[in-house]
Amino acid sequence: MPDRTEFWLYLYFPQMQLDKLLLQQQSSVVAEQHKSVAHQKSTAKNTLSSKSHSTTLLDLTAPLAIVGADHQLLQLNSAAREAGLTLGMGLASAASLCHQLQLVAHQAVQEQQQLEQLAQLLYQYCADIALQQDTALVLKLSPMLALYGGAMQFWQQIQQVLQQTGYQYHFATAQYPLVARLLALQGWDQFLLQNDKIQQQLNVLPLQHAQLPDKLQEQLQRLGLTQLGDLLKIPQAELVRRFGVEMLQYLQQLTGTKPALLQFIQPAEQFEQQLELLYEMERSDQLLGPLQHLFGLLQLYLQQRDQLAYQLELCLLQRQDQQQQLQLHSAQGEYQTKDWLKISELQLERLKLNKPVIQLKLILGRAGPRYAQYKTLFTGHLGAGKEQLYSALQLLSLLQARLGKDQVTSPCLLNDLLPERASSYASALEPQAAIAGTLAAVRPAFLVDPPLALDAEQQQQLKLQYGPERLSSGWWQQQSQHRDYYVGQNAQGQWLWLFRDLQQPEQLYLQGYFS
């Protein structure tokens, strides 16, 4: 095969909306079953609420169809086909033939978004991908074959992505995009790079499936032409003379004499995905199934760029244009679906929905490069039946998601000499100001706050071993404090940190205990 030869792969998705509907339905059912097992001891009220809400789900075993604006059936599940329904059938005929038929309106915008999402997933394997109006993608194979070491190696990578999405598809390869399209729409499903075999299949293609304008197709049928091969046997000059410019343009695309006008996609610069829910979700735990799909898209987005996500914004769109927002944080940075799902699950447990949720939107707020993570020798699985250890940052992220970001704090030093003012608590992982000078070595492990005044008998039992150490502080705030600190031992053998206030030198105070 010459190096200049181009080949194209055409992927056609005949029922993308229906497939997505069934996948979402299955994930929602699995999430409901998981929750019911986890909450076996829940109250009867919650159980009744869960059962009544599950009735809004579609019955996957019953006939189901996607209906277009012209009241014709566009997509059918297997049960609908077994009931005798066919594509293009009118709604009235379908309803009379199958009384149990479930109908869902066709959403072209949503289907286009699904196609764009899929194109972004495939972009990591192929750089030249163009969207098609008939819910399809066309991929340029020629530059990628050398990279993957052969056509079948490349096709295996593409198949893995398609299997993960769960979409049904038909495909074909050809030297020109229009030829690959015609074969894929007929369900040829052959990945071949032999022009002779492709041309043989093209020649026997019926003219009614050749994507010709209706007027031209009627004229060709009057001439007795039934297959596309019959048309190609006629000289092009004769066809153009008899049928005009439309036939010329069609033949140019079919034979490749005129390059196809394709607009290739570009990788998304910012991750922002929306997901329309199958039904209104009244409980926050029901959102985990749809969220798993969104986090899966996020994982692929981050893998393509070798990045980690540190902050996500989750918008819960509700009825009457209302919404609730959640900020999801990871101190360590995560990219895997399971890690973000765990963080969101803990945070959703504390959330009370104001109104039922009808749509989810996930936005990547902050991301960074992904570095190699090194673990110690004993980090990992502790043994059979024991879960894997969390890193310190992962544990911190889970605590923040469960308790709230403001409830997880860490101790920090303050620039003050007085012990009760020398430390405080700040939000975890917030940068701390540097403390001038060096810290004294002789300091107790436990402080008494406020300091405890000792009576005369307690003072007599003390033995002062070290001191005095004078600390003066607060004069710049008109809260002057002057103290002399000592290290002493009481009758029980405990080592104490003591001080005298210079304004009351006869009184001794207990400031802390040494461990």
Side-chain angles (χ1 to χ4, degrees), residues 31 38 44 83 85 169 178 220 260 268 298 332 398 407 428 473:
L85 303 182
Y169 63 95
L178 180 58
L220 294 173
L298 174 66
Q332 177 176 274
L398 294 178
Q407 301 299 322
S473 179

Side-chain angles (χ1 to χ4, degrees), residues 116-150:
E116 292 175 358
Q117 291 176 0
L118 179 58
Q120 292 293 336
L121 299 183
L122 294 174
Y123 189 81
Q124 59 182 325
Y125 302 103
C126 182
D128 298 322
I129 304 177
L131 305 179
Q132 300 295 292
Q133 294 181 354
D134 50 2
T135 321
L137 298 174
V138 58
L139 288 69
K140 189 176 182 180
L141 299 183
S142 309
M144 311 307 299
L145 300 184
L147 177 63
Y148 287 90

Side-chain angles (χ1 to χ4, degrees), residues 185-203:
L185 292 180
Q186 298 308 306
W188 192 37
D189 296 341
Q190 295 289 330
F191 193 91
L192 298 175
L193 301 184
Q194 291 83 15
N195 285 327
D196 53 347
K197 295 182 179 180
I198 297 174
Q199 190 63 39
Q200 290 176 6
Q201 186 66 24
L202 184 66
N203 290 336

Side-chain angles (χ1 to χ4, degrees), residues 293-396:
H293 172 73
L294 289 178
F295 287 139
L297 297 177
L298 174 66
Q299 176 176 335
L300 291 171
Y301 174 89
L302 295 172
Q303 285 178 332
Q304 290 177 1
R305 293 154 178 81
D306 202 21
Q307 289 182 335
L308 297 174
Y310 293 92
Q311 180 177 343
L312 302 176
E313 181 179 347
L314 177 61
C315 299
L316 311 179
L317 283 77
Q318 302 164 333
R319 289 181 296 183
Q320 299 178 358
D321 295 331
Q322 295 189 10
Q323 64 178 11
Q324 291 178 256
Q325 294 186 351
L326 292 178
Q327 297 291 335
L328 307 179
H329 301 270
S330 173
Q332 177 176 274
E334 306 290 353
Y335 76 95
Q336 294 188 359
T337 299
K338 61 180 183 64
D339 296 323
W340 280 113
L341 198 61
K342 181 63 175 178
I343 293 174
S344 62
E345 180 180 5
L346 293 175
Q347 198 155 341
L348 286 173
E349 288 178 356
R350 301 185 292 112
L351 178 66
K352 183 178 180 180
L353 297 177
N354 299 330
K355 290 187 177 181
V357 181
I358 59 176
Q359 188 181 60
L360 299 177
K361 179 190 292 186
L362 185 64
I363 302 174
L364 175 59
R366 184 167 63 91
R370 181 181 173 190
Y371 300 101
Q373 298 180 0
Y374 299 96
K375 298 183 178 180
T376 60
L377 177 63
F378 300 102
T379 300
H381 291 281
L382 299 179
K386 297 185 178 180
E387 295 183 357
Q388 188 175 1
L389 291 174
Y390 292 111
S391 68
L393 294 178
Q394 285 178 323
L395 179 59
L396 180 60

Side-chain angles (χ1 to χ4, degrees), residues 203-219:
N203 290 336
V204 298
L205 183 72
L207 275 181
Q208 60 264 31
H209 301 311
Q211 301 291 314
L212 282 165
D214 295 338
K215 181 180 178 180
L216 288 178
Q217 192 168 345
E218 293 177 1
Q219 294 175 345

